[in-house]
Amino acid sequence: MQIQQVWPLLAVRTRSWLIEHNGEPLDPHVEAELLSVAGDSPDPSWWAGHSSADQSELTDTAVDWIESVANGELD
């Protein structure tokens, strides 16, 4: 499942968090919801997984896509 497919399935508060904290390591609650919605098997095109600090992150592609959503460039 790609980020574009996951996005509308996320709670509004999760989408808001992702916009407000775009590019930051994921909050554990946000990570849990993303994994739940993506069926515990997120697409590696947007899911970078755990960093060296043992926190999950999104790829640059996903960060750029979320930024485009935040800027009203995408529906």
Side-chain angles (χ1 to χ4, degrees):
M1 199 176 256
Q2 296 181 356
I3 189 70
Q4 297 88 333
Q5 296 167 302
V6 170
W7 189 258
L9 303 175
L10 298 172
V12 171
R13 69 180 179 280
T14 301
R15 292 190 308 252
S16 294
W17 189 95
L18 288 165
I19 289 170
E20 292 170 17
H21 301 275
N22 197 18
E24 296 178 14
L26 298 174
D27 176 273
H29 298 288
V30 171
E31 177 182 355
E33 184 174 349
L34 282 166
L35 289 173
S36 174
V37 168
D40 292 327
S41 177
D43 188 320
S45 70
W46 62 269
W47 181 262
H50 290 289
S51 68
S52 59
D54 200 33
Q55 292 180 302
S56 290
E57 299 178 0
L58 300 178
T59 64
D60 290 340
T61 301
V63 169
D64 291 346
W65 186 86
I66 293 169
E67 183 177 352
S68 294
V69 169
N71 292 333
E73 298 168 11
L74 301 171
D75 294 328

